[in-house]
Amino acid sequence: MFPGATADRTDADYALVGAPLDATTSFRPGTRFGPREVRHAAGGFEDFDHRSGRSFSDLAVHDHGDVHPRADVDEYLEYLRGTLADYAVEGTVPLVVGGEHTVALAAVRALEPDVAVVLDAHLDLRETYADAGTSHATVTRRLLSVVDEVVVLGARAGSQEGWERAEADDVTVVGPDAVSEWEPELEGDVYLSVDVDAADPGYAPGTGTPEPFGLEPATMRGVVRGVAPRAVGFDAVEVNDRDDGQAATLAAKLLREFVFAHAAGSDA
């Protein structure tokens, strides 16, 4: 269980759902261990948050456990979508912990937001990758089949096809040097996806495709706090077990930051 996520499902305002998919990872596997690593890393945090004056255990977070992968990725995403849609119907905000970034597609299909804000080192705007349309390397392209707009923050790598697709009006790319100045002027419901490789690998080496010259953790925290009050769902993805817990610790902390900021926005 994620520490402090002690609410029963019937009383929950938030539901943490582990999605340990590790099927299309193309470089360093291990995202199947992401939910386990994130829950473990959160064990070192204080329950109380001095910024909000609230304790995480008082914010009605339920830990659903993991939705374990199936052999067929698309079949798995559909099952995960159904699980997350059930929470949305109950008025509970899903918090997905990956797993590879592909699981964000299930959440966006379940929640049908207007805009997806994605912290990511990579554009992931290919039409296909390794002959697969559904992949961690195409996930942003697939999100555009649901949302009206995608905002990619911290992107510094992508295919030629991806950069060309990013020139369209429904995609906004903010490079790492400009993210700290970005203001979330967004219309409609928003979904926030945090690929931990948006961080510089010096802060989060435990990820599948690390990319140098990335974001500072404090910059990512600022984005999470800024977007959370208007978000209908959240994920933290692409954490693996190939470091000493740095990536999992950052992902766990950003998940908590999302909950504290979202709860504060709901109370305002």
Side-chain angles (χ1 to χ4, degrees):
M1 177 188 296
F2 192 94
T6 55
D8 292 333
R9 178 166 182 158
T10 53
D11 300 325
D13 291 328
Y14 304 90
L16 189 155
V17 179
L21 184 66
D22 197 3
T24 75
T25 305
S26 54
F27 186 47
R28 299 197 305 177
T31 54
R32 72 196 65 181
F33 303 116
R36 181 193 72 187
E37 295 295 306
V38 170
R39 290 186 178 99
H40 176 73
F45 300 152
E46 296 281 0
D47 188 41
F48 181 72
D49 176 63
H50 75 283
R51 296 177 183 274
S52 63
R54 305 181 73 170
S55 294
F56 188 79
S57 58
D58 290 337
L59 296 179
V61 182
H62 171 69
D63 192 333
H64 176 91
D66 291 351
V67 177
H68 293 285
R70 302 176 178 193
D72 185 292
V73 172
D74 288 316
E75 180 181 317
Y76 173 69
L77 293 179
E78 176 56 22
Y79 185 82
L80 180 61
R81 183 206 64 76
T83 300
L84 301 173
D86 287 344
Y87 278 111
V89 169
E90 295 167 13
T92 305
V93 177
L95 313 167
V96 180
V97 178
E100 63 179 69
H101 204 166
T102 316
V103 300
L105 185 56
V108 167
R109 286 172 174 166
L111 302 173
E112 299 183 337
D114 301 292
V115 182
V117 175
V118 182
L119 278 160
D120 199 331
H122 309 91
L123 291 178
D124 295 338
L125 283 167
R126 291 178 172 89
E127 181 61 38
T128 63
Y129 183 75
D131 297 326
T134 304
S135 163
H136 77 102
T138 67
V139 63
T140 308
R141 184 69 169 255
R142 297 286 85 79
L143 296 182
L144 283 163
S145 66
V146 180
V147 303
D148 298 327
E149 179 185 6
V150 166
V151 180
V152 187
L153 304 174
R156 50 199 182 275
S159 64
Q160 180 178 347
E161 175 192 5
W163 286 109
E164 291 172 353
R165 180 63 182 84
E167 294 176 359
D169 291 341
D170 56 356
V171 179
T172 300
V173 178
V174 180
D177 293 341
V179 172
S180 62
E181 304 299 322
W182 177 76
E183 296 290 339
E185 298 174 354
L186 306 166
E187 299 289 337
D189 291 339
V190 179
Y191 181 83
L192 177 58
S193 179
V194 177
D195 185 328
V196 79
D197 71 20
D200 188 87
Y203 299 109
T207 191
T209 47
E211 189 71 34
F213 312 119
L215 299 176
E216 299 275 345
T219 301
M220 297 174 70
R221 180 179 63 184
V223 170
V224 170
R225 286 179 178 167
V227 174
R230 67 195 69 192
V232 297
F234 169 89
D235 70 56
V237 297
E238 293 289 345
V239 172
N240 66 26
D241 62 340
R242 292 176 174 249
D243 65 8
D244 290 327
Q246 298 97 317
T249 301
L250 177 58
K253 199 69 173 181
L254 292 176
L255 183 150
R256 283 172 44 112
E257 293 285 348
F258 176 89
V259 173
F260 282 120
H262 188 277
S266 299
D267 293 342

